[in-house]
Each structure stands twice: as C-alpha cells, then as structure tokens.
C-alpha cells in the first residue's frame, strides 16, 4: 500500500499531465499564429511528456530518451514555424511520432501495470487515450506529407497537421463528421485502424479496471 504523500504526489502528477494535454489540444492553433506564439506553443509541447516521464517513470534510460526526443521536437517545431520547408515538416512529424510513442510506453506501463484502481490510474488512463489520439495525428500528417492529397477537406482547404489533430480525435471516437475524408490507400488504412484501436482501448481498459476491482473484493 502506498503512503498517503506518495499517493497524493502521483495523483497530482497524473492530474497535471491530463490538464497539460487538454491545454495543448485547445491551444494548438497558436502554432500557426505567428510572432512568439509558435515558440511558446512548442516550448510547452516539448516539455509536457518530458516532465511527465520524470514524474511517472523511474527508468533513467526512458527519462534520458524522452528528454532528447523532446529537445529534437522543440527544434524541429521552431524551424518549421519560422523557416518552413518540406524537410522541417518531416522532422516535426517524425520527432512527434517518436515523442508520442515514448509517452505511450510510459503511460501504458503505469496504467496497466497498476495493482489497484486509484485516482492516478484513472487519470493516466485518460491521458493515454488522448496521447494515442494526438500521436495518430502526427502519423496521419506523415501520410499526407508523403502522399499529398491523401486527405481531402469538404471546404477544399489544405489539410495541415492542425486539422489532422482534429480529424484524429473525430476518427478515434468514431464521431465521423465527414468534413475531412481519407481518400488515399494508406490514409484509409491508418484511419480505420485508429477507429478500431480507439474502441478496443476502451474495452481493454474497462476489462482491466474491472479485473483489478474484482480482485480486491
């Protein structure tokens, strides 16, 4: 059984991560706002998962890896904001994919490795769901970068990574507004995989939490 101070610290860390992810998901349009906003956005984005890894993982290797990836993500984001090229966009997508994979590993270990259902586990499980969604946004953006026209907006506007973040969550929750449509082979493949994965995650998480609760009864 965890001591009360340790339990409180874990709840605070998990809650802070969830709040930071929500703030990120609400402020991502700032990355294209110009001026100092992209720097502020990417500075915040590149620090979220690094700080969370230090708080939720005791692995020195994972902490070091996430710190390195976070730095690369920051540099790539700044370059793509202030001196955009095809190469800087690719760097953003690849670094973001690696950044998300690292955080998914940390949160999956923390969530599914828990022995009891506590508030911090529920918060980290929610964060994991959101991280998977934003991770798919980077992956889908990479698909669009490699094969332009893989995603088509009903308005006819270009589909950038900012719109891809929106599309990713709409797809993972199976809402499907239809204003952005995957038309390329790989786009359709990854989009359908995300929709299935989002549903399976809910099922697996619920089964895990029920199992943990039942084992205590």
């Amino acid at each position: 059984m965890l001591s009360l101070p340790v339990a409180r610290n874990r709840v605070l860390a998990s809650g802070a991560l969830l709040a930071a992810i929500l703030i990120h998901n609400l402020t991502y349009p700032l990355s294209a706002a110009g001026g100092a906003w992209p720097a502020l956005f990417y500075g915040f984005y590149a620090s979220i998962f690094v700080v969370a890894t230090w708080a939720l993982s005791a692995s020195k290797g994972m902490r070091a890896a996430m710190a390195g990836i976070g730095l690369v993500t920051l540099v790539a984001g700044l370059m793509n904001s202030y001196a955009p090229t095809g190469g800087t966009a690719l760097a953003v997508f690849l670094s973001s994919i690696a950044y998300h994979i690292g955080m998914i590993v940390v949160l999956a270990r923390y969530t599914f490795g828990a022995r009891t259902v506590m508030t911090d586990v529920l918060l980290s499980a929610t964060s994991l769901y959101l991280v998977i969604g934003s991770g798919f946004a980077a992956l889908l953006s990479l698909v669009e970068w490699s094969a332009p026209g893989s995603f088509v907006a009903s308005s006819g506007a270009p589909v950038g990574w900012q719109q891809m973040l929106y599309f990713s969550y709409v797809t993972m929750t199976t809402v499907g507004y239809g204003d952005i449509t995957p038309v390329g082979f790989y786009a359709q493949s990854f989009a359908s995989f995300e929709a299935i994965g989002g549903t399976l995650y809910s099922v697996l998480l619920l089964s895990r939490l029920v199992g943990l609760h039942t084992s205590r009864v």
Side-chain angles (χ1 to χ4, degrees), residues 21-121:
I21 293 173
L22 292 174
I23 292 173
H24 165 271
N25 289 351
L26 290 172
T27 60
Y28 70 87
L30 294 177
S31 62
W37 290 114
L40 293 174
F41 172 80
Y42 278 108
F44 180 66
Y45 169 53
S47 64
I48 296 175
F49 295 168
V50 176
V51 174
T53 300
W54 279 77
L56 301 178
S57 175
S59 171
K60 293 182 179 179
M62 182 60 73
R63 288 178 173 181
M66 287 300 288
I69 297 172
L71 179 60
V72 173
T73 301
L74 173 61
V75 173
L78 293 177
M79 291 179 62
N80 192 55
S81 295
Y82 296 106
T85 65
T88 58
L90 177 61
V92 169
F93 302 147
L94 292 178
S95 60
S96 290
I97 291 172
Y99 195 42
H100 279 81
I101 289 176
M103 194 69 252
I104 289 172
V105 170
V106 171
L107 287 173
R109 287 177 176 175
Y110 190 87
T111 300
F112 293 98
R115 298 300 180 185
T116 55
V117 182
M118 303 291 285
T119 302
D120 60 310
V121 175

Side-chain angles (χ1 to χ4, degrees):
M1 181 68 68
L2 294 175
S3 63
L4 186 58
V6 172
R8 283 178 175 174
N9 288 339
R10 291 189 174 184
V11 171
L12 288 175
S14 300
L17 172 60
L18 178 57
I21 293 173
L22 292 174
I23 292 173
H24 165 271
N25 289 351
L26 290 172
T27 60
Y28 70 87
L30 294 177
S31 62
W37 290 114
L40 293 174
F41 172 80
Y42 278 108
F44 180 66
Y45 169 53
S47 64
I48 296 175
F49 295 168
V50 176
V51 174
T53 300
W54 279 77
L56 301 178
S57 175
S59 171
K60 293 182 179 179
M62 182 60 73
R63 288 178 173 181
M66 287 300 288
I69 297 172
L71 179 60
V72 173
T73 301
L74 173 61
V75 173
L78 293 177
M79 291 179 62
N80 192 55
S81 295
Y82 296 106
T85 65
T88 58
L90 177 61
V92 169
F93 302 147
L94 292 178
S95 60
S96 290
I97 291 172
Y99 195 42
H100 279 81
I101 289 176
M103 194 69 252
I104 289 172
V105 170
V106 171
L107 287 173
R109 287 177 176 175
Y110 190 87
T111 300
F112 293 98
R115 298 300 180 185
T116 55
V117 182
M118 303 291 285
T119 302
D120 60 310
V121 175
L122 297 177
L123 291 172
S124 64
T126 305
S127 295
L128 177 57
Y129 184 79
L130 294 176
V131 171
I132 292 173
S134 57
F136 262 102
L139 181 60
L140 296 175
S141 296
L142 179 61
V143 171
E144 174 65 21
W145 179 90
S146 61
S150 294
F151 294 87
V152 176
S154 58
S155 64
V159 180
W161 76 260
Q162 290 89 349
Q163 292 75 26
M164 209 63 77
L165 182 62
Y166 154 80
F167 172 77
S168 179
Y169 284 120
V170 168
T171 299
M172 191 166 71
T173 55
T174 66
V175 174
Y177 289 121
D179 50 344
I180 299 178
T181 306
V183 295
F185 174 75
Y186 290 107
Q188 293 173 340
S189 177
F190 282 113
S192 61
F193 180 77
E194 180 180 11
I196 295 171
T199 303
L200 288 179
Y201 176 82
S202 300
V203 174
L204 292 174
L205 178 62
L206 181 61
S207 300
R208 175 62 175 167
L209 295 179
V210 170
L212 290 175
H213 179 72
T214 304
S215 66
R216 297 182 61 191
V217 177

